Amino acid sequence: MDFAIKSIVFLPFIGFLLVGLFGGKLGDKPSQILTTGILMVSALLSWIVFLDVMVDGNKYGVTLFNWMTSGTFTFDWAIYVDMLTAVMLVVVTTVSALVHLYSISYMAEDPHTPRFFAYLSLFTFMMLMLVTSNNLIQMFFGWEGVGLASYLLIGFWYKKPSANAAAIKAFVVNRVGDFGFALGIYACYVLFDTVQFAEIFAQVSEHKDATLNFLGHDYNAITVIALLLFVGAMGKSAQLGLHTWLPDAMEGPTPVSALIHAATMVTAGVFLVARFSPLFEFSPDALAVVTVVGASTAFFAATVGLVQNDIKRVIAYSTCSQLGYMFFALGVGAYGGAIFHLFTHAFFKALLFLGAGSVIHAMHHEQDMRKMGGLWKKIPFTAGVMFIGNLAITGFPFLSGFYSKDMIIEAAYASHADGASFAFLMGVAAALMTSFYSWRLWFMTFIGDTRADQHTFDHAHEGNIAMKLPLLVLAVGAVFAGGFFDFGFIGEGRVGFWNGSLITAAHDIMTEAHHVPFGVKLAPFVVMVLGVAIAWMFYGPYGRRTQLPRRTAETFPALYKFFLNKWYWDELYGFLFVRPAFWLGRLFWKQGDEQIIDGFGPNGVSSAVALIAAQARKIQTGYVYHYAFAMIIGLAAFVTWFMTSSSGH
């Protein structure tokens, strides 16, 4: 099994090296086949390891070599696999393999295909390094690695200014979160004298009352560390305040959106908090912050998704909202529910993103839903799988989202933790809006008369088998992944399933969630049906005939603009940070560099020296009588000065 685990992690890296270094010589097709085939093998091995760990409860630790030793500071480069890691392995490798396969067709016309596939493989390797780490330094290596790979992939179309701006924005915003994560790592080492997960978790109870001094005040050390780690998670998982990069990241190719921003990188923050559940359990204050931020993100992103017109941005805000669900599940102690939703969400969200890519491909890169409509006639397969994806994300009974998202809402109701009631209300409200904007997207894209250019509509067509097969596999996962794995993840008393990889409190909130009142269990279904009905009323035949969406926007213009402008977060950050940064940059550039440095340097002293030298050269004529005349003038001036100064005394 050790060899299989090593292969899972390092096969994508081998693919990256081969295609990254020799892709130009290999050519497009060999590069695509090589990287995709490698990811298929890695995904197959991941499922074998997942089933082994799930059924037998095994854990695996593979030490590759000692990475660093400096006094008591030591850690290895090692691969650690428990149930939590096994879940992430199948999510990362399965989605990545399907995205590789899908991209063969989607990126067929791109002149830089080998580079694209190399970047995809690099991203997968870095994500695998993150989830298989057994210490904070290795996790941080993978954490920064996926940040690098996402920057390269978001800005892949580097000749497109908006893509470059989006890549820079993602990189800069994530640096804010990563700074918090780095401080959390440092604080962990200061408190526990180690960066190894097992050693940290074994000491947490001993240090539960320890304090850290900051700016003259003492704070509970566990709470400080937990909050710093959560700041890192907020950046990577686009939680409210550090969310602004995620929608703009849709500037990258659509397969990138499915890989990075639907199923893998954005769930790294959820994984981090879940992995450190033994530490978070000793800080109710930190868990309350996680709960409130997660619930607020779920609600905020859902409100913005209501009015977006770019098909990919609607799904991007949906991702942001679903991540909020995962975080408030972690905050109320429903760790198993959060990871279960992470697992099921990977299938239906990747399905929706790749389905959107199929729509964009059919519409010759058009992304505005206002210029679509009637596409079910032209691309019925895509319409069908996106219909399934919508059923799953909105919580239709017995599909994946029904099991995981509904359980999170029930757990929030059952919990007595701080912020749990707020999370329950926000979760139900977000479920209503999720249903509305998901079906709004489907109705605007596939139903009614087309609003597209007639030439574009006439030539719209399905992609080939390389695009259809991943959609079919993900649709099967969206239907069956929840029901098939339901009992293992969140069944009553399933403490043994996690085998210590997640904290399961004595009261086990997941068990209590199974016994909430029937009305609570019914609430997500009711709001789901209500959301569908409202979406049909607005965007079905009646809504189109009566212009109901336009009339509603005109009736509530302030609220509509507030949602359309994403609560003005970008404008706020522009005012507080971007504009001052540009002003400071221009100050240093114009006044500091050009006027002061250049003014006194190249354009000042240096220029004066050059001018004096140029004038001095004119007296070097080569005639002796000129030099004699200069000597006489100099001597006369010296005698005059000497006589004048002598007479003064």
Side-chain angles (χ1 to χ4, degrees):
M1 191 61 72
D2 286 2
F3 179 76
I5 292 171
K6 291 178 183 177
S7 299
I8 291 170
V9 175
F10 287 103
L11 279 176
F13 185 63
I14 293 171
F16 159 70
L17 287 178
L18 291 176
V19 175
L21 293 174
F22 308 110
K25 295 181 179 179
L26 290 173
D28 290 356
K29 280 298 179 186
S31 298
Q32 295 167 349
I33 293 171
L34 178 63
T35 52
T36 303
I38 282 175
L39 259 297
M40 293 289 183
V41 174
S42 187
L44 177 61
L45 293 174
S46 294
W47 279 99
I48 293 172
V49 171
F50 172 72
L51 294 174
D52 173 77
V53 174
M54 182 179 70
V55 174
D56 298 330
N58 294 324
K59 295 182 179 181
Y60 298 97
V62 181
T63 300
L64 302 176
F65 53 83
N66 179 263
W67 196 341
M68 182 180 294
T69 298
S70 177
T72 59
F73 182 54
T74 181
F75 56 91
D76 298 326
W77 189 343
I79 301 173
Y80 177 71
V81 178
D82 59 3
M83 193 63 229
L84 178 58
T85 298
V87 171
M88 297 301 296
L89 287 179
V90 296
V91 168
V92 172
T93 56
T94 301
V95 173
S96 183
L98 293 173
V99 166
H100 273 74
L101 179 60
Y102 181 93
S103 299
I104 291 176
S105 177
Y106 191 89
M107 301 294 289
E109 298 178 3
D110 194 280
H112 306 292
T113 299
R115 179 164 61 87
F116 180 77
F117 278 81
Y119 288 169
L120 288 181
S121 295
L122 174 64
F123 172 85
T124 306
F125 167 70
M126 288 299 182
M127 191 70 196
L128 291 172
M129 287 304 305
L130 190 160
V131 301
T132 58
S133 59
N134 73 346
N135 64 80
L136 280 164
I137 305 300
Q138 185 176 325
M139 177 180 273
F140 193 69
F141 168 74
W143 193 273
E144 294 301 298
V146 293
L148 167 65
S150 66
Y151 171 80
L152 296 173
L153 285 166
I154 295 168
F156 178 75
W157 287 324
Y158 57 88
K159 293 183 179 179
K160 189 178 177 183
S162 58
N164 287 326
I168 293 171
K169 186 175 184 180
F171 199 79
V172 171
V173 173
N174 271 275
R175 295 290 70 72
V176 177
D178 293 354
F179 181 64
F181 188 18
L183 290 177
I185 294 173
Y186 175 72
C188 268
Y189 181 70
V190 168
L191 185 62
F192 300 110
D193 197 33
T194 182
V195 292
Q196 301 289 140
F197 294 155
E199 296 176 16
I200 291 172
F201 300 154
Q203 298 180 52
V204 172
S205 60
E206 301 173 12
H207 294 85
K208 62 182 180 180
D209 297 319
T211 59
L212 288 175
N213 186 275
F214 180 70
L215 297 178
H217 295 278
D218 290 329
Y219 301 94
N220 180 269
I222 300 296
T223 298
V224 170
I225 293 172
L227 290 175
L228 288 172
L229 295 177
F230 179 57
V231 170
M234 286 178 63
K236 200 66 76 183
S237 295
Q239 292 301 282
L240 188 63
L242 295 178
H243 67 280
T244 54
W245 66 272
L246 183 61
D248 288 355
M250 298 304 104
E251 290 290 341
T254 299
V256 172
S257 304
L259 177 62
I260 299 180
H261 308 296
T264 52
M265 188 184 91
V266 292
T267 59
V270 179
F271 173 79
L272 171 63
V273 176
R275 174 61 80 201
F276 273 79
S277 59
L279 186 142
F280 275 84
E281 277 294 307
F282 282 87
S283 178
D285 291 339
L287 286 175
V289 172
V290 174
T291 302
V292 172
V293 171
S296 301
T297 303
F299 179 82
F300 153 76
T303 62
V304 178
L306 296 174
V307 297
Q308 296 300 304
N309 295 310
D310 185 308
I311 189 171
K312 286 173 65 176
R313 283 181 178 267
V314 174
I315 304 173
Y317 278 105
S318 173
T319 298
C320 197
S321 182
Q322 297 304 308
L323 289 167
Y325 276 98
M326 298 175 206
F327 274 106
F328 78 68
L330 295 168
V332 302
Y335 300 106
I339 300 303
F340 187 35
H341 194 50
L342 183 158
F343 178 77
T344 60
H345 175 261
F347 290 99
F348 55 73
K349 187 51 63 66
L351 172 62
L352 290 171
F353 260 121
L354 293 184
S358 183
V359 172
I360 296 167
H361 181 267
M363 295 294 291
H364 301 282
H365 304 290
E366 179 59 66
Q367 296 182 197
D368 192 334
M369 297 185 298
R370 293 170 297 185
K371 299 179 182 179
M372 297 180 185
L375 287 177
W376 70 270
K377 304 171 187 175
K378 308 295 289 187
I379 47 174
F381 178 81
T382 301
V385 294
M386 291 193 74
F387 188 87
I388 293 172
N390 270 6
L391 291 176
I393 194 173
T394 56
F396 190 82
F398 311 118
L399 272 71
S400 294
F402 169 76
Y403 293 96
S404 58
K405 190 169 75 172
D406 286 20
M407 177 53 66
I408 288 175
I409 293 173
E410 292 162 16
Y413 180 87
S415 175
H416 302 292
D418 292 340
S421 297
F422 173 73
F424 171 73
L425 293 174
M426 293 296 100
V428 172
L432 170 64
M433 292 184 283
T434 298
S435 181
F436 174 81
Y437 66 64
S438 297
W439 290 109
R440 171 181 178 263
L441 180 152
W442 198 85
F443 294 149
M444 289 183 70
T445 303
F446 297 107
I447 299 301
D449 297 328
T450 185
R451 299 174 299 282
D453 172 78
Q454 195 61 43
H455 179 269
T456 301
F457 182 77
D458 290 342
H459 289 81
H461 59 87
E462 295 279 11
N464 60 22
I465 188 65
M467 290 180 68
K468 287 182 177 178
L469 184 59
L471 291 171
L472 181 60
V473 172
L474 290 169
V476 171
V479 174
F480 296 110
F484 191 79
F485 294 102
D486 170 45
F487 186 73
F489 276 92
I490 59 174
E492 292 188 66
R494 292 300 286 160
V495 178
F497 177 81
W498 295 107
N499 194 20
S501 59
L502 288 179
I503 285 293
T504 305
H507 58 276
D508 190 5
I509 191 63
M510 299 309 301
T511 298
E512 293 186 21
H514 284 86
H515 302 286
V516 297
F518 179 72
V520 175
K521 291 179 176 289
L522 193 61
F525 176 77
V526 171
V527 297
M528 182 267 290
V529 173
L530 185 60
V532 176
I534 297 173
W536 177 255
M537 182 185 301
F538 272 67
Y539 296 97
Y542 172 79
R544 295 182 190 280
R545 185 171 64 251
T546 60
Q547 295 291 306
L548 190 56
R550 180 181 58 80
R551 287 163 50 202
T552 303
E554 291 173 352
T555 304
F556 305 99
L559 186 63
Y560 174 73
K561 289 182 179 179
F562 185 65
F563 290 165
L564 187 64
N565 288 285
K566 301 157 288 188
W567 291 27
Y568 294 99
W569 277 96
D570 283 311
E571 288 77 6
L572 176 63
Y573 284 175
F575 175 76
L576 293 178
F577 303 114
V578 178
R579 285 165 56 186
F582 274 109
W583 175 85
L584 189 62
R586 281 192 293 268
L587 176 67
F588 286 142
W589 170 29
K590 293 294 185 181
Q591 279 73 40
D593 187 23
E594 291 188 351
Q595 294 186 13
I596 298 177
I597 297 177
D598 287 350
F600 283 97
N603 299 328
V605 175
S606 299
S607 179
V609 170
L611 178 63
I612 293 170
Q615 297 300 319
R617 283 199 302 272
K618 294 179 179 179
I619 65 174
Q620 302 297 321
T621 62
Y623 294 108
V624 175
Y625 62 86
H626 284 172
Y627 299 149
F629 179 73
M631 292 172 63
I632 293 171
I633 294 297
L635 179 62
F638 174 74
V639 171
T640 302
W641 169 81
F642 180 77
M643 294 177 64
T644 304
S645 59
S646 298
S647 63
H649 297 286

